[in-house]
Amino acid sequence: MLSKKTKYGLKALTFLARRDVKGPVQIAEISRSENISQKFLESILLTLRKAGILGSKKGKGGGYYLIRDAADVPMTDVIRVLEGPIAMLPCVSLNFYEKCDDCPDENACSVNKLMIQVRDSTLQIFRHTSLADLISE
Amino acid sequence: MLSKKTKYGLKALTFLARRDVKGPVQIAEISRSENISQKFLESILLTLRKAGILGSKKGKGGGYYLIRDAADVPMTDVIRVLEGPIAMLPCVSLNFYEKCDDCPDENACSVNKLMIQVRDSTLQIFRHTSLADLISE
DNA sequence: CTATTACCCTACAAGTTTGATAGGATAAAA
DNA sequence: TTTTATCCTATCAAACTTGTAGGGTAATAG
């Protein structure tokens, strides 16, 4: 299940991408428009900034803004930053790999093989979908 | 992320499907072979029995066994019973649908559209993979 | 230079889920 | 009637999720 953190993050990003004027947007405005707890959203936007997806400006007239063009923000980046691994099992994850305690031989594990298929098909979608695709649909 | 419950359940099912002799297999044997806590596995197998995927026999010589042929056990069934919804968002789930609190219009939600794509591609895999496919790979 | 604005950061807390354990009840077979 | 193995409920610690509190810091306005 997708966490609210990720869902809220995606909604905030689409909100920013949809704006024609590209100046900074305050947390309060996004939180109001998207029905997200302001403080919770604050921590999410901070994460996205540290990940290099958002930029920020302090003080009056400050806020958050997209650092790259929306077309250059693939879903893979956003999901990995907010949700973590895309794979359903650590032993199948490309970016967060971890061995299973219970599995003696990964290559002989049928669950592993199944989850590789799921990972690949999900990855294909996330790789070919950018923030720009999200708002144009 | 796939829970251990689902992972263990799948491993137990493949263990049963792989056996040539089709008699009941005791929890203890599966737990030993697959490195799963016996008591935890007990509750998982019970769930699978109540869902009509496994049958059981009490007393000496008892245990669990597959009720249907492995080819007639699709992954969709197993995953939904053990893991719950296949979709990453309740508002996108076919079998466990729930409206989002924060979304005024589901059809206008870009996150919703994205997750429908993910759901469909994952569903396609699970629908076309049976327990028999799992052990033959 | 000072007040205001708005992001920055850490800590924390309630609620839920997960993974696992304990212990006895029940049914079948020897 | 004893043994075996599933059935079932309760419980529990640890982890995670969602959200709140509160002060620190940098930028801007006047």
Side-chain angles (χ1 to χ4, degrees), chain B residues 80-96:
Chain B
R80 285 199 177 110
V81 163
L82 295 177
E83 190 74 10
I86 289 169
M88 294 185 84
L89 283 178
C91 68
V92 160
S93 174
L94 297 175
N95 289 251
F96 300 81

Side-chain angles (χ1 to χ4, degrees), chain B residues 69-119:
Chain B
D69 192 89
D72 296 328
V73 182
M75 282 305 106
T76 41
D77 285 17
V78 180
I79 301 285
R80 285 199 177 110
V81 163
L82 295 177
E83 190 74 10
I86 289 169
M88 294 185 84
L89 283 178
C91 68
V92 160
S93 174
L94 297 175
N95 289 251
F96 300 81
Y97 175 84
E98 238 173 280
K99 199 187 169 308
C100 295
D101 322 332
D102 53 307
C103 245
D105 180 12
E106 205 162 277
N107 296 331
C109 178
S110 46
V111 182
N112 179 283
K113 292 204 186 74
L114 175 65
M115 291 308 154
I116 285 182
Q117 289 183 57
V118 175
R119 178 203 67 191

Side-chain angles (χ1 to χ4, degrees), chain B residues 29-48:
Chain B
E29 185 183 343
I30 307 176
S31 127
R32 228 180 303 112
S33 297
E34 301 291 336
N35 299 306
I36 305 171
S37 144
Q38 176 161 343
K39 274 296 193 179
F40 191 23
L41 180 59
E42 201 176 314
S43 72
I44 296 169
L45 297 181
L46 202 57
T47 304
L48 288 170

